[in-house]
Amino acid sequence: MNRFFFILFLFVFHFGNAFSSEFSADTISIRNFKSGLSLISNWRYNNSDDPAASSKNYDDSNWKLVEEDTLTDDSVPVKYKGILWFRNTFYIDSTIENIPLALRIRTNSACDIFIDGKLIHSLGTVNKNEKDQISGFTILRVTVPLPVINKGLHTLALRTTNFGPNVNFGLLNVRTTGLISNFQADILSMKQAIEDKDDIRIFTIPIFFMGVFIVLSIFHFILFLHYRRNRSNLYYSLLTFLLFLLFFGFYTTISGTDVSTVKNMLYVIVFSLFLVPLFFLGILYEVFYKRLLKMFWILAGTFVAALITLFVFKSDDLGGIIVMLYLFASFIESIRVYIRGWIKKREGSRIFIFGLFFPVIGVILLEIIVWVLEKSELSEISSKISDHSGEFFAYSSLMSVSLSMTIYLARDFARMNRTLQDQIKEIRHLFDQTVKQENERKQILENQNTELERMVAFRTEEVMNQKGEIELKNRDILDNLLYARRIQEAILPEAAIIKRSLPDSFIIYWPKDIVSGDFYSFAQKDGKIILCVADCTGHGVTGAFMSMIGSSLLNQIVNEIGITHPAEILDHLNTGIKHALKQKETEINDGMDIAVCTFDSQTLKLQFAGANRPLWYFQNGHFNEIKGDKLAIGGFRVQKEVVFSSHDVQFQKGDTLYLFTDGFVDQFGELSGKKLLSKNFREYLSTLQSLTMQEQEIKLSAFFNKWKGHVTQIDDVLVMGIRV
């Protein structure tokens, strides 16, 4: 579990390239001095403490190779306790003879380092007693200057200890593949070692982020203390404090030399790292939902269960599984909240989406720049940019999401502040007006009582005169509307004519006002019956004008031009409306929704076309619907040529069909306060199929009036029902 924390720590902050280099484990000759010689293989070891083992000429042929050892098998108990010796050899060729060299090494145990039998450095204090030993562990590798080495074969010997699994067998954690983990050693030029040593980014970067995150944490915690209703500041303060702990632990770890301190800080780092998704999700919940969802507490409980499993029951496998489930669920839930916020267009969703994808977009842009530079033969610059793309992604991921939250909270605070300022201004304005009016009232009461009475009498007389004029005008308007209704009723087909052709039928026609924007049409042409039900834009006078225009155009299209096909009728009607209202030249966007049927009474075949209106029909008691095209006649689509589709239906004797406008289904109910809706209308119609159409008309009228109650009718109502 300690190794898991350590590997996770290195992966998060340096992506595996901050403290190590890639070397060939097979070579023993330093040829590429820019990279150095990695001493990662060919190690021999022995568990006896023989001081002569440091000598160059010491015979270690009977020692075991690290690659052949099986001490890493968890089922085998630790065999060795005490002093261990390790030896390796390397070759110096003539090209680098007498060049100042350095040894870089990292170990998690105390270690004495010998070159050709000479002690050159000690990491910690090696002692046979575990209590008296001082560990030489550091995260960063220690640079040890080497004495001048001549051309030839040389021996590197290491004297260390092994006191159990807590220090991973002293110097080396041996794997059966021959790899060595938690230990790194390589030889390179002193110049290169100094340059690597001077890379202060390892310390300045965590110090910089520590400063940024602790300032943000304190600032937003202060904001929360002053305005506790906005808990986003609290969660964000805790999140940035966790990020501060991460970088503080990172800095303490890479600069520390005490094993227990480093180990404890690694626990702090991992604990903080695993809590970051939980508090980040809390911020998202508070921003988009204004409360914590149950999922937050489920994840918090999962995190606590993982800690109990790891540290109380000491079950690393089960604890690791719970941790992975916790991280995966946190990631999926965060993405879900992001997507929902984006779809619902929640305030701040764009800022968070930008913060989430900024690192990816930045890396893509960097790769494009690298590609352009390579094409421009600037490969040196492009390689430098490419080498730092991983660091850019890591640091921008930390900063972009954090800064996006800061930007959101700042905008939210500024918006709230502006709102409060506007409210204060409004309150002051109202207060000033109230004071002014009160002063005026007092002045009037004290000094102008007589004038007030005179003015009241004058105003009363003026109001009475205006009332008379308004009543007279209203009476004239009402008379005109009543006359307009008679004209509209005269234009509509007579019910008796429709009854002669369709005896088992009904028409419910209730204008909202005196005149209606809904109208119906009936015609017979070439042995066919043409029926139309239309809903014009608006109602009252405006709708009535449109209904008269539509009715007149339909009469021309069917009776004068002779068109009976429903789709063609709609096409001609659409053209006629646009021409009549000059919609291409003006801003008049009025139009209508309409359903048109052509019925052959001999073959019982019906053709249907609709503009935003459907055809409902029942065959053998089963409901069927043909939806009209999602296009209106005239209106906003005047610049587009539209073609309406036609549908054929073969009816049988006894089938029923219904054409209607939206006034019936859009009516609000007195008891429910909601619209009737098409679903309830359809279900009620299905209960009436055993009745005659005249009985259905009575039932529908009673049903509508009961539903509406004392609520005002909101639109014109038109329903036409026919039994074949």
Side-chain angles (χ1 to χ4, degrees), residues 317-349:
D317 294 336
L318 180 58
I321 293 173
I322 297 176
V323 168
M324 292 301 105
L325 289 175
Y326 160 77
L327 294 176
F328 179 75
S330 299
F331 175 77
I332 295 299
E333 179 65 5
S334 298
I335 296 299
R336 184 195 69 80
V337 176
Y338 267 120
I339 295 175
R340 185 180 183 277
W342 178 267
I343 294 175
K344 297 291 186 179
K345 297 181 179 180
R346 300 292 190 188
E347 180 67 28
S349 60

Side-chain angles (χ1 to χ4, degrees), residues 158-202:
L158 306 174
R159 179 175 179 262
T160 184
T161 58
N162 171 44
F163 289 115
N166 288 335
V167 290
N168 297 323
F169 301 104
L171 174 67
L172 305 176
N173 177 22
V174 185
R175 300 179 185 273
T176 55
T177 59
L179 297 177
I180 304 173
S181 64
N182 292 344
F183 165 76
Q184 292 177 343
D186 57 299
I187 298 175
L188 70 167
S189 69
M190 180 62 71
K191 178 182 178 181
Q192 183 65 35
I194 293 174
E195 290 178 355
D196 293 347
K197 192 74 173 179
D198 291 338
D199 188 1
I200 63 173
R201 291 183 304 161
I202 297 175

Side-chain angles (χ1 to χ4, degrees), residues 599-646:
F599 179 68
D600 191 328
S601 58
Q602 299 298 322
T603 63
L604 303 184
K605 183 177 181 180
L606 180 140
Q607 292 178 314
F608 169 76
N612 285 329
R613 297 310 309 157
L615 168 67
W616 287 4
Y617 62 95
F618 290 85
Q619 290 185 327
N620 297 323
H622 296 292
F623 172 79
N624 299 275
E625 179 183 15
I626 300 177
K627 295 182 179 181
D629 296 313
K630 291 185 180 300
L631 302 169
I633 300 298
F636 290 98
R637 299 179 180 268
V638 297
Q639 301 298 330
K640 297 181 180 179
E641 293 298 329
V642 296
V643 177
F644 294 92
S645 56
S646 180

Side-chain angles (χ1 to χ4, degrees), residues 3 22 242 248 253 345 390 433 466 479 555 632 662:
R3 290 198 298 271
E22 294 292 338
L242 289 174
F248 175 74
T253 301
K345 297 181 179 180
Q433 284 188 330
Q466 291 176 349
D479 292 341
N555 181 60
D662 57 5

Side-chain angles (χ1 to χ4, degrees), residues 323-570:
V323 168
M324 292 301 105
L325 289 175
Y326 160 77
L327 294 176
F328 179 75
S330 299
F331 175 77
I332 295 299
E333 179 65 5
S334 298
I335 296 299
R336 184 195 69 80
V337 176
Y338 267 120
I339 295 175
R340 185 180 183 277
W342 178 267
I343 294 175
K344 297 291 186 179
K345 297 181 179 180
R346 300 292 190 188
E347 180 67 28
S349 60
R350 294 182 179 180
I351 298 175
F352 282 109
I353 290 293
F354 176 78
L356 182 66
F357 288 102
F358 173 76
V360 179
I361 297 172
V363 171
I364 293 174
L365 292 177
L366 283 179
E367 292 300 325
I368 293 174
I369 293 173
V370 169
W371 180 80
V372 172
L373 291 175
E374 288 179 350
K375 293 296 183 180
S376 304
E377 299 182 356
L378 297 173
S379 58
E380 183 176 353
I381 300 176
S382 66
S383 63
K384 290 182 179 180
I385 297 176
S386 181
D387 291 342
H388 295 286
S389 60
E391 294 180 17
F392 170 80
F393 180 81
Y395 298 137
S396 61
S397 297
L398 288 171
M399 292 300 298
S400 60
V401 175
S402 179
L403 289 179
S404 63
M405 185 62 200
T406 300
I407 293 172
Y408 168 78
L409 291 176
R411 287 186 57 189
D412 184 63
F413 180 79
R415 183 173 57 253
M416 181 180 63
N417 188 39
R418 288 194 299 269
T419 302
L420 290 175
Q421 289 179 350
D422 293 340
Q423 291 177 349
I424 290 173
K425 290 181 180 179
E426 182 67 20
I427 292 172
R428 287 178 178 174
H429 177 69
L430 293 175
F431 177 77
D432 292 340
Q433 284 188 330
T434 303
V435 171
K436 182 179 178 180
Q437 292 174 355
E438 183 64 21
N439 291 334
E440 291 178 352
R441 187 183 68 83
K442 289 181 179 180
Q443 189 69 23
I444 292 173
L445 290 175
E446 292 175 358
N447 303 321
Q448 298 182 359
N449 288 333
T450 304
E451 181 65 19
L452 179 60
E453 292 177 358
R454 188 188 66 80
M455 291 178 62
V456 168
F458 176 77
R459 293 297 183 186
T460 302
E461 183 181 0
E462 185 178 6
V463 168
M464 294 301 295
N465 293 334
Q466 291 176 349
K467 178 183 177 183
E469 293 177 0
I470 292 173
E471 290 177 349
L472 180 61
K473 290 180 179 179
N474 285 340
R475 189 161 49 250
D476 292 340
I477 293 172
L478 181 61
D479 292 341
N480 289 331
L481 288 175
L482 292 173
Y483 188 76
R485 182 175 66 180
R486 290 196 294 270
I487 296 174
Q488 189 176 40
E489 291 173 348
I491 293 175
L492 294 175
E494 294 183 8
I497 297 176
I498 299 176
K499 286 286 186 179
R500 283 199 296 269
S501 299
L502 302 169
D504 200 2
S505 63
F506 70 83
I507 297 176
I508 295 176
Y509 182 66
W510 299 327
K512 175 186 180 300
D513 301 314
I514 297 174
V515 290
S516 174
D518 291 358
F519 73 94
Y520 59 91
S521 179
F522 171 84
Q524 290 180 301
K525 190 76 173 181
D526 300 331
K528 298 180 179 179
I529 299 173
I530 297 91
L531 297 170
C532 301
V533 168
D535 183 357
C536 298
T537 301
H539 46 73
V541 176
T542 57
F545 273 112
M546 281 298 300
S547 69
M548 295 176 68
I549 294 173
S551 179
S552 176
L553 288 173
L554 284 172
N555 181 60
Q556 293 177 10
I557 293 169
V558 176
N559 295 321
E560 297 180 14
I561 302 177
I563 296 174
T564 60
H565 193 277
E568 295 181 13
I569 291 174
L570 292 184

Side-chain angles (χ1 to χ4, degrees), residues 27-44:
T27 182
I28 61 171
S29 177
I30 304 179
R31 298 186 182 278
N32 184 358
F33 213 65
K34 184 176 180 180
S35 299
L37 170 64
S38 175
L39 301 174
I40 198 68
S41 61
N42 300 323
W43 286 92
R44 290 180 179 273

Side-chain angles (χ1 to χ4, degrees), residues 186-255:
D186 57 299
I187 298 175
L188 70 167
S189 69
M190 180 62 71
K191 178 182 178 181
Q192 183 65 35
I194 293 174
E195 290 178 355
D196 293 347
K197 192 74 173 179
D198 291 338
D199 188 1
I200 63 173
R201 291 183 304 161
I202 297 175
F203 298 100
T204 56
I205 289 175
I207 292 174
F208 169 76
F209 281 107
M210 284 165 54
V212 170
F213 288 126
I214 193 62
V215 169
L216 289 176
S217 178
I218 295 173
F219 175 73
H220 285 278
F221 185 72
I222 293 173
L223 288 181
F224 168 73
L225 293 178
H226 284 83
Y227 186 64
R228 299 191 179 186
R229 291 183 59 185
N230 188 357
R231 290 176 294 180
S232 300
N233 284 306
L234 174 62
Y235 299 139
Y236 184 58
S237 174
L238 294 174
L239 175 66
T240 49
F241 182 72
L242 289 174
L243 294 175
F244 162 76
L245 286 181
L246 257 124
F247 282 97
F248 175 74
F250 173 56
Y251 175 78
T252 305
T253 301
I254 63 176
S255 60

